[in-house]
Amino acid sequence: MKTLARLLILTTFCLSSVLSDAATPASEVGKFDFMTRSVLLNNGHRMPIVGLGTYSLSDEQCYNSVTTLLKEGGRLIDTAFMYHNEEAVGRAVRDSGIDRSEIFVITKLYPTQYDEPQQAIEDALAKLDIGYIDLLLLHHPGEGDVKAYKAMEQALALGKVKSLGLSNWYVKELKDFLPKVSVKPVLVQNEIHPYYQENDVIPYIQSLGIVVQGWYPLGGRGHTKELLEDKVINEIAKDHGVSAAQVVLRWNLQKGVIVIPGSSNPLHIRENLDLFDFYLTDEEMSRINALDRGEKHDWY
Ligand code: NAP
């Protein structure tokens, strides 16, 4: 039954992905569709709202985790030059036998590459070896970021990259950066979890028609214990018969934040995709909102 439901969702995702290129109704941009588990971006492309993060995964772990994700019906993968595993991501995508158009791969240029951005883009394309990059991000603000983004705009025009975005850009950084470039980013990826909620930044980004994606959704590798043992989150999890991780991920989705939990554990990867059979009430959302401490777990 679950397999049939998954097939239906994937078919709907592919169909709507094609349809959305023809017409992008402004009112639909950025709205999460929990049926197709996807969101319409401001350039007409559609992307999944739940995926897998690959930071700190070795080549072998990364290959196995991406393979598990794809087998379990997940279609969104986040990698970066800095994670040194783009090659493993690409190999797992190719070996999956799944149609390329169904899969959405994000990678990022690192500030050390902003000097030679064309070369950096070609390197990422060669390492991934999956034809094109679905979404290319600048990993952090840094010297030469405008020049790098302009090279990304050229790659976009050539079809090497389908969408552009930013990571670790906040309100001030966006206000400085956006007037200097031509193509509006479709997405900004920032640290977001119940202990660091970015309640001032998320609505600002969304008001620009840009989708928000959270990194460290579970608090970050090495920092998850306290969050996943949090009393409030566990009370809510118990009431729904789900795990603490699923509550945190679902809270993100209901705030309109795309999640890319990192994992090398097949059981966790499966669990992290299984977020659509329960709903957090307004009261439960408020209780999690009240956990904010402005506690950043990594600094960029
Ligand atoms: P995370 O997703 O917050 O947490 C990953 C940790 O949670 C791992 O230790 C994992 O262990 C554990 N975990 C995963 N699912 C679980 C579950 N269902 N139950 C219990 N534990 C679970 O941290 P992250 O992977 O560092 O961050 C997510 C992704 O964001 C990264 O992989 C990367 O793609 C991206 N990121 C981006 C930036 C940026 O600057 N743009 C920075 C950091 C990260 P197991 O392996 O045992 O499952």
Side-chain angles (χ1 to χ4, degrees):
M1 190 59 194
K2 275 215 161 177
T3 313
L4 192 65
R6 195 169 289 150
L7 199 65
L8 183 68
I9 286 158
L10 289 178
T11 313
T12 320
F13 173 71
C14 286
L15 193 64
S16 52
S17 184
V18 175
L19 290 178
S20 68
D21 284 349
T24 309
S27 61
E28 292 306 307
V29 169
K31 270 196 206 154
F32 282 15
D33 181 340
F34 281 63
M35 180 61 203
T36 60
R37 302 172 186 191
S38 67
V39 60
L40 183 62
L41 304 173
N42 64 33
N43 62 358
H45 288 292
R46 194 165 269 282
M47 75 175 281
I49 53 177
V50 178
L52 174 78
T54 64
Y55 173 53
S56 75
L57 299 185
S58 68
D59 267 6
E60 193 187 346
Q61 286 174 324
C62 182
Y63 180 86
N64 292 337
S65 298
V66 173
T67 300
T68 302
L69 177 91
L70 294 172
K71 273 200 186 123
E72 293 296 332
R75 293 293 182 263
L76 168 64
I77 303 140
D78 181 68
T79 181
F81 166 80
M82 204 34 176
Y83 305 165
H84 307 290
N85 56 23
E86 288 167 304
E87 189 274 337
V89 168
R91 200 155 35 85
V93 168
R94 292 194 306 279
D95 290 354
S96 72
I98 294 167
D99 196 283
R100 173 68 184 92
S101 65
E102 273 190 34
I103 301 174
F104 196 101
V105 176
I106 304 175
T107 193
K108 316 181 190 82
L109 302 187
Y110 206 66
T112 51
Q113 300 182 292
Y114 294 170
D115 230 15
E116 301 272 1
Q118 278 97 351
Q119 188 57 51
I121 296 167
E122 292 306 323
D123 289 349
L125 285 162
K127 277 192 247 170
L128 284 165
D129 193 15
I130 49 174
Y132 58 88
I133 295 164
D134 293 276
L135 172 57
L136 183 60
L137 311 182
L138 292 179
H139 209 140
H140 307 287
E143 206 181 319
D145 50 15
V146 172
K147 173 181 162 184
Y149 195 89
K150 286 183 188 294
M152 285 161 51
E153 291 176 339
Q154 283 171 9
L156 183 77
L158 294 171
K160 297 178 180 192
V161 173
K162 301 289 184 193
S163 299
L164 308 183
L166 301 167
S167 180
N168 301 297
W169 252 262
Y170 302 91
V171 176
K172 181 186 175 306
E173 287 83 354
L174 283 164
K175 283 186 173 160
D176 287 348
F177 187 83
L178 293 182
K180 297 178 189 157
V181 299
S182 310
V183 177
K184 181 153 80 169
V186 298
L187 175 147
V188 173
Q189 185 188 107
N190 284 346
E191 179 174 349
I192 297 165
H193 46 77
Y195 294 159
Y196 188 75
Q197 298 192 13
E198 289 214 337
N199 287 322
D200 49 342
V201 184
I202 295 174
Y204 176 73
I205 296 173
Q206 290 173 336
S207 75
L208 300 174
I210 299 174
V211 168
V212 178
Q213 182 174 50
W215 57 260
Y216 278 4
L218 302 176
R221 194 170 283 276
H223 300 279
T224 57
K225 191 172 179 330
E226 193 181 355
L227 184 61
L228 295 184
E229 288 180 0
D230 187 281
K231 187 168 169 284
V232 169
I233 288 167
N234 280 279
E235 280 169 8
I236 296 171
K238 197 166 164 224
D239 287 345
H240 287 281
V242 297
S243 71
Q246 286 171 309
V247 168
V248 173
L249 297 173
R250 179 75 199 195
W251 167 82
N252 272 284
L253 293 183
Q254 288 186 212
K255 280 168 71 85
V257 175
I258 298 176
V259 286
I260 41 165
S263 181
S264 56
N265 177 331
L267 295 177
H268 288 164
I269 293 171
R270 187 175 308 141
E271 180 180 303
N272 295 346
L273 291 168
D274 191 8
L275 307 174
F276 297 92
D277 291 337
F278 69 105
Y279 175 83
L280 299 176
T281 63
D282 288 349
E283 195 251 339
E284 289 167 334
M285 289 295 288
S286 301
R287 288 176 71 201
I288 304 175
N289 292 344
L291 298 176
D292 193 16
R293 307 166 171 174
E295 180 181 288
K296 218 171 174 339
H297 289 171
D298 227 328
W299 198 261
Y300 298 110

Short mmCIF file of all heavy atoms in Angstrom, two decimals, residues 50-52 64-77 98 261 269-270 273:
data_model
loop_
_atom_site.label_atom_id
_atom_site.label_comp_id
_atom_site.label_asym_id
_atom_site.label_seq_id
_atom_site.Cartn_x
_atom_site.Cartn_y
_atom_site.Cartn_z
N VAL A 50 11.53 17.44 1.26
CA VAL A 50 12.27 16.62 2.22
C VAL A 50 13.38 15.90 1.47
O VAL A 50 13.14 15.35 0.39
CB VAL A 50 11.37 15.55 2.87
CG1 VAL A 50 12.17 14.68 3.83
CG2 VAL A 50 10.21 16.19 3.61
N GLY A 51 14.57 15.91 2.05
CA GLY A 51 15.68 15.25 1.35
C GLY A 51 16.72 14.73 2.32
O GLY A 51 16.43 14.45 3.50
N LEU A 52 17.93 14.61 1.82
CA LEU A 52 19.05 14.09 2.61
C LEU A 52 20.22 15.06 2.54
O LEU A 52 20.59 15.50 1.45
CB LEU A 52 19.50 12.73 2.03
CG LEU A 52 20.75 12.11 2.65
CD1 LEU A 52 20.42 11.46 4.00
CD2 LEU A 52 21.37 11.06 1.71
N ASN A 64 25.99 4.96 0.00
CA ASN A 64 24.97 4.08 0.58
C ASN A 64 23.74 4.87 1.03
O ASN A 64 22.61 4.43 0.86
CB ASN A 64 25.54 3.29 1.76
CG ASN A 64 26.58 2.28 1.30
OD1 ASN A 64 26.58 1.88 0.14
ND2 ASN A 64 27.48 1.89 2.19
N SER A 65 23.97 6.03 1.62
CA SER A 65 22.85 6.83 2.13
C SER A 65 21.99 7.36 0.98
O SER A 65 20.76 7.34 1.05
CB SER A 65 23.36 8.01 2.98
OG SER A 65 24.04 7.51 4.09
N VAL A 66 22.64 7.86 -0.06
CA VAL A 66 21.87 8.37 -1.22
C VAL A 66 21.10 7.21 -1.86
O VAL A 66 19.93 7.35 -2.23
CB VAL A 66 22.79 9.08 -2.24
CG1 VAL A 66 22.02 9.45 -3.50
CG2 VAL A 66 23.43 10.32 -1.62
N THR A 67 21.74 6.05 -1.94
CA THR A 67 21.08 4.88 -2.53
C THR A 67 19.84 4.51 -1.70
O THR A 67 18.76 4.27 -2.25
CB THR A 67 22.07 3.69 -2.59
OG1 THR A 67 23.17 4.10 -3.40
CG2 THR A 67 21.43 2.45 -3.20
N THR A 68 20.00 4.51 -0.38
CA THR A 68 18.85 4.21 0.49
C THR A 68 17.75 5.25 0.31
O THR A 68 16.58 4.91 0.16
CB THR A 68 19.29 4.19 1.98
OG1 THR A 68 20.31 3.22 2.13
CG2 THR A 68 18.13 3.87 2.91
N LEU A 69 18.14 6.51 0.33
CA LEU A 69 17.14 7.58 0.16
C LEU A 69 16.32 7.36 -1.11
O LEU A 69 15.09 7.42 -1.09
CB LEU A 69 17.84 8.95 0.07
CG LEU A 69 16.88 10.11 -0.17
CD1 LEU A 69 16.41 10.70 1.15
CD2 LEU A 69 17.50 11.19 -1.04
N LEU A 70 17.02 7.11 -2.22
CA LEU A 70 16.33 6.97 -3.50
C LEU A 70 15.43 5.73 -3.51
O LEU A 70 14.32 5.77 -4.03
CB LEU A 70 17.35 6.94 -4.65
CG LEU A 70 18.14 8.25 -4.84
CD1 LEU A 70 19.25 8.06 -5.87
CD2 LEU A 70 17.21 9.39 -5.27
N LYS A 71 15.91 4.65 -2.90
CA LYS A 71 15.07 3.43 -2.82
C LYS A 71 13.82 3.67 -2.00
O LYS A 71 12.77 3.11 -2.26
CB LYS A 71 15.87 2.30 -2.14
CG LYS A 71 16.71 1.52 -3.10
CD LYS A 71 17.08 0.15 -2.51
CE LYS A 71 18.04 -0.55 -3.44
NZ LYS A 71 19.30 -0.92 -2.80
N GLU A 72 13.95 4.53 -0.98
CA GLU A 72 12.81 4.79 -0.08
C GLU A 72 11.87 5.86 -0.62
O GLU A 72 10.93 6.27 0.05
CB GLU A 72 13.33 5.22 1.30
CG GLU A 72 14.07 4.14 2.06
CD GLU A 72 13.17 2.94 2.39
OE1 GLU A 72 11.95 3.14 2.54
OE2 GLU A 72 13.70 1.83 2.50
N GLY A 73 12.18 6.39 -1.80
CA GLY A 73 11.28 7.36 -2.42
C GLY A 73 11.72 8.81 -2.26
O GLY A 73 11.07 9.70 -2.81
N GLY A 74 12.79 9.08 -1.52
CA GLY A 74 13.32 10.44 -1.40
C GLY A 74 13.96 10.86 -2.72
O GLY A 74 14.50 10.02 -3.44
N ARG A 75 13.90 12.15 -3.03
CA ARG A 75 14.42 12.59 -4.33
C ARG A 75 15.29 13.85 -4.24
O ARG A 75 15.73 14.35 -5.27
CB ARG A 75 13.25 12.87 -5.30
CG ARG A 75 12.46 11.61 -5.70
CD ARG A 75 13.32 10.68 -6.55
NE ARG A 75 12.63 9.50 -7.01
CZ ARG A 75 12.67 8.30 -6.41
NH1 ARG A 75 13.38 8.14 -5.30
NH2 ARG A 75 12.04 7.27 -6.92
N LEU A 76 15.53 14.35 -3.02
CA LEU A 76 16.31 15.59 -2.86
C LEU A 76 17.62 15.29 -2.12
O LEU A 76 17.59 14.69 -1.04
CB LEU A 76 15.47 16.60 -2.06
CG LEU A 76 16.18 17.84 -1.53
CD1 LEU A 76 16.71 18.72 -2.67
CD2 LEU A 76 15.24 18.66 -0.64
N ILE A 77 18.74 15.72 -2.70
CA ILE A 77 20.05 15.46 -2.09
C ILE A 77 20.83 16.77 -2.03
O ILE A 77 20.90 17.50 -3.03
CB ILE A 77 20.84 14.43 -2.92
CG1 ILE A 77 20.03 13.13 -3.06
CG2 ILE A 77 22.20 14.15 -2.29
CD1 ILE A 77 20.13 12.51 -4.41
N ILE A 98 16.98 5.50 -11.65
CA ILE A 98 15.80 6.36 -11.62
C ILE A 98 15.99 7.47 -12.65
O ILE A 98 17.10 8.00 -12.82
CB ILE A 98 15.62 6.96 -10.20
CG1 ILE A 98 15.30 5.83 -9.22
CG2 ILE A 98 14.53 8.03 -10.17
CD1 ILE A 98 15.41 6.23 -7.76
N PRO A 261 17.76 16.49 6.54
CA PRO A 261 18.49 15.86 7.64
C PRO A 261 19.63 14.98 7.11
O PRO A 261 19.46 14.29 6.11
CB PRO A 261 17.42 15.01 8.33
CG PRO A 261 16.35 14.81 7.30
CD PRO A 261 16.37 16.05 6.47
N ILE A 269 17.01 7.30 7.76
CA ILE A 269 16.70 7.88 6.44
C ILE A 269 15.24 7.60 6.09
O ILE A 269 14.50 8.48 5.65
CB ILE A 269 17.66 7.33 5.35
CG1 ILE A 269 19.09 7.83 5.64
CG2 ILE A 269 17.21 7.73 3.94
CD1 ILE A 269 20.17 7.20 4.78
N ARG A 270 14.81 6.36 6.35
CA ARG A 270 13.41 5.98 6.08
C ARG A 270 12.47 6.80 6.97
O ARG A 270 11.49 7.38 6.50
CB ARG A 270 13.24 4.49 6.36
CG ARG A 270 11.88 3.96 5.93
CD ARG A 270 11.79 2.45 6.10
NE ARG A 270 12.90 1.77 5.45
CZ ARG A 270 13.53 0.69 5.95
NH1 ARG A 270 13.17 0.19 7.10
NH2 ARG A 270 14.53 0.13 5.29
N LEU A 273 11.78 10.45 6.06
CA LEU A 273 10.91 10.70 4.91
C LEU A 273 9.44 10.54 5.28
O LEU A 273 8.55 10.96 4.55
CB LEU A 273 11.24 9.73 3.77
CG LEU A 273 12.59 9.90 3.08
CD1 LEU A 273 12.87 8.69 2.19
CD2 LEU A 273 12.61 11.18 2.24
#
